Amino acid sequence: MVTRKLPFTKLIILLSFATFSTNAFAASQQEIEERIRALNAELYDLHQQLQQVESPEDAAQGVPFEPLPEEAAREDLSERRELEQESSRNPFSITTHRTNYLFPVSYNTNPNRASFRNIADDTEADNTELKFQFSAKVKLAEQVLGDYGDVFFGYTQRSWWQAYNTDASSPFRETNYEPEVFIDFDNAWGALGWVNTRNRLALNHQSNGRSSPYSRSWNRVYLESTFQRGDWALTLAPHWRIPESEKEDDNPDIERYMGYGDIRLSKRLNNNHEVSGQLRGNPSAGNIGTQIDYSWPAFNSLRAHVQYYYGYGESMIDYDHRVHRLSLGFSLNPLFSATGLNR
């Protein structure tokens, strides 16, 4: 009888030890994160003391110290990582992905009237419409490759709504759906003053959900790398289109207009103002799309936002149509935030 009970007793001991180890690891991880926050606070105090020694006049006037560019980039990386770790503890939590914005006034001097006839054949498209973007992500797994690699599911939806076109019953002119699965690798290595804060490998689908002949879609794999130097950030995102059969391809010449990737340069200005410029297209074909964004704090968590777009590739239906658009409105998540610097 004692012999039969022994394996069961061993199993109970092993399960108890495993439970204890898991709790101990969780407690240890929480203690480490709290220690990191305490060290960051201590580092800030040391910088303040150093400023009082090196620049007593600035310290007396309350001028905050400016960390080195490499330090500022690593601080942004640490804040983003901390937020994502806190979100991962809640299985139902989601975080912002790309910029979320609402532009009540979006004026285009050259609307795509031909494609709008499929929606309202007896009414012209208005030059002024409402444009908005919703974007969120949820973590699926973390540290899948040793100590690196967090896997996310992201979803972005961008719409152009003829809200003021009552003659056409205010239809949605175009909506782009963009689900993706990606793996993020946070880094902290630097060169020439720039810090590579993140690399992302993604499987991306983008379509407008319409039927032929106005259906537009493509599937891509992209590699996005972000480099920061203080208040500057450079994002490079080359992509490769997954080939489709000639019968299923709705837009075989899309790379002639959308090109093979995006480049964005961002700058954080005084008082948390932000400006960024994005470039896409195919220079060899003479087809370029440029976007410039400027935002600043307005009230509460909202930011006033101005966006300018000129060229090709603003939306799926307009990938081969030149757009000239100025949009005014609000955005939520700033670029230089824990969830920012996503195209």
Side-chain angles (χ1 to χ4, degrees):
M1 183 66 67
V2 175
T3 305
R4 291 177 181 176
K5 287 185 178 180
L6 188 57
F8 181 74
T9 304
K10 289 182 177 179
L11 178 61
I12 294 297
I13 294 174
L14 288 175
L15 289 175
S16 301
F17 179 75
T19 303
F20 174 78
S21 298
T22 301
N23 294 336
F25 176 77
S28 177
Q29 182 178 8
Q30 185 176 3
E31 291 173 357
I32 291 174
E33 292 172 357
E34 291 177 354
R35 181 58 177 160
I36 290 175
R37 286 192 288 269
L39 289 174
N40 287 334
E42 184 179 355
L43 180 62
Y44 182 87
D45 292 338
L46 289 174
H47 275 297
Q48 294 282 51
Q49 296 176 22
L50 182 62
Q51 184 187 40
Q52 292 178 356
V53 174
E54 296 181 343
S55 304
E57 295 181 357
D58 291 343
Q61 296 176 3
V63 178
F65 77 93
E66 295 185 2
L68 295 175
E70 296 88 342
E71 293 179 358
R74 289 187 173 90
E75 287 176 5
D76 288 342
L77 172 61
S78 177
E79 290 178 4
R80 186 181 74 245
R81 185 64 179 171
E82 182 178 338
L83 175 63
E84 292 177 347
Q85 287 177 343
E86 291 177 356
S87 299
S88 66
R89 298 190 187 102
N90 182 357
F92 304 104
S93 68
I94 61 174
T95 55
T96 54
H97 181 27
R98 307 182 191 277
T99 303
N100 289 266
Y101 58 71
L102 171 64
F103 298 142
V105 178
S106 184
Y107 184 83
N108 181 16
T109 63
N110 186 31
N112 193 339
R113 305 187 189 281
S115 67
F116 190 73
R117 294 192 188 102
N118 176 255
I119 301 174
D121 56 0
D122 58 346
T123 307
E124 291 290 331
D126 277 356
N127 294 82
T128 303
E129 55 190 357
L130 187 150
K131 178 182 178 182
F132 66 88
Q133 176 170 283
F134 167 79
S135 185
K137 66 181 180 182
V138 59
K139 182 181 288 187
L140 303 179
E142 61 182 5
Q143 298 181 349
V144 295
L145 299 175
D147 296 332
Y148 303 95
D150 296 338
V151 180
F152 293 86
F153 171 78
Y155 178 77
T156 302
Q157 181 172 317
R158 189 181 306 113
S159 293
W160 293 258
W161 179 19
Q162 290 271 299
Y164 314 113
N165 192 346
T166 55
D167 292 340
S169 298
S170 303
F172 278 81
R173 181 181 63 82
E174 171 79 346
T175 295
N176 291 170
Y177 310 94
E178 191 173 359
E180 58 186 334
V181 176
F182 56 90
I183 180 169
D184 276 355
F185 299 94
D186 290 336
N187 298 296
W189 65 267
L192 302 178
W194 290 83
V195 179
N196 178 212
T197 55
R198 187 188 61 219
N199 294 304
R200 170 177 296 168
L201 181 63
L203 176 62
N204 176 282
H205 169 81
Q206 190 176 21
S207 64
N208 65 353
R210 297 171 67 174
S211 57
S212 182
Y214 297 100
S215 173
R216 303 287 185 269
S217 66
W218 62 345
N219 299 307
R220 295 172 294 162
V221 175
Y222 70 79
L223 175 63
E224 181 177 296
S225 298
T226 300
F227 302 86
Q228 285 186 247
R229 179 183 171 87
D231 291 328
W232 288 91
L234 175 66
T235 301
L236 307 175
H239 66 246
W240 173 73
R241 185 188 182 188
I242 300 175
E244 299 180 49
S245 66
E246 184 177 348
K247 182 179 179 180
E248 296 179 351
D249 197 345
D250 300 319
N251 27 253
D253 63 341
I254 191 171
E255 289 175 311
R256 178 176 175 82
Y257 295 90
M258 297 283 281
Y260 305 95
D262 295 346
I263 301 173
R264 187 178 69 180
L265 182 65
S266 308
K267 178 72 166 69
R268 177 168 47 193
L269 307 173
N270 293 332
N271 300 318
N272 203 20
H273 288 219
E274 295 178 344
V275 61
S276 67
Q278 181 171 288
L279 181 68
R280 66 161 55 106
N282 192 331
S284 63
N287 301 321
I288 300 295
T290 57
Q291 178 176 305
I292 299 174
D293 290 86
Y294 187 89
S295 70
W296 64 95
F299 52 90
N300 295 331
S301 59
L302 288 180
R303 301 176 62 85
H305 199 127
V306 179
Q307 184 183 91
Y308 173 78
Y309 196 98
Y310 179 77
Y312 297 95
E314 186 198 24
S315 67
M316 294 301 291
I317 197 66
D318 293 332
Y319 80 87
D320 58 351
H321 180 82
R322 182 181 284 113
V323 169
H324 192 191
R325 180 188 300 276
L326 180 65
S327 302
L328 306 174
F330 302 94
S331 59
L332 286 178
N333 43 317
L335 293 176
F336 290 85
S337 67
T339 59
L341 294 177
N342 295 301
R343 292 171 299 121

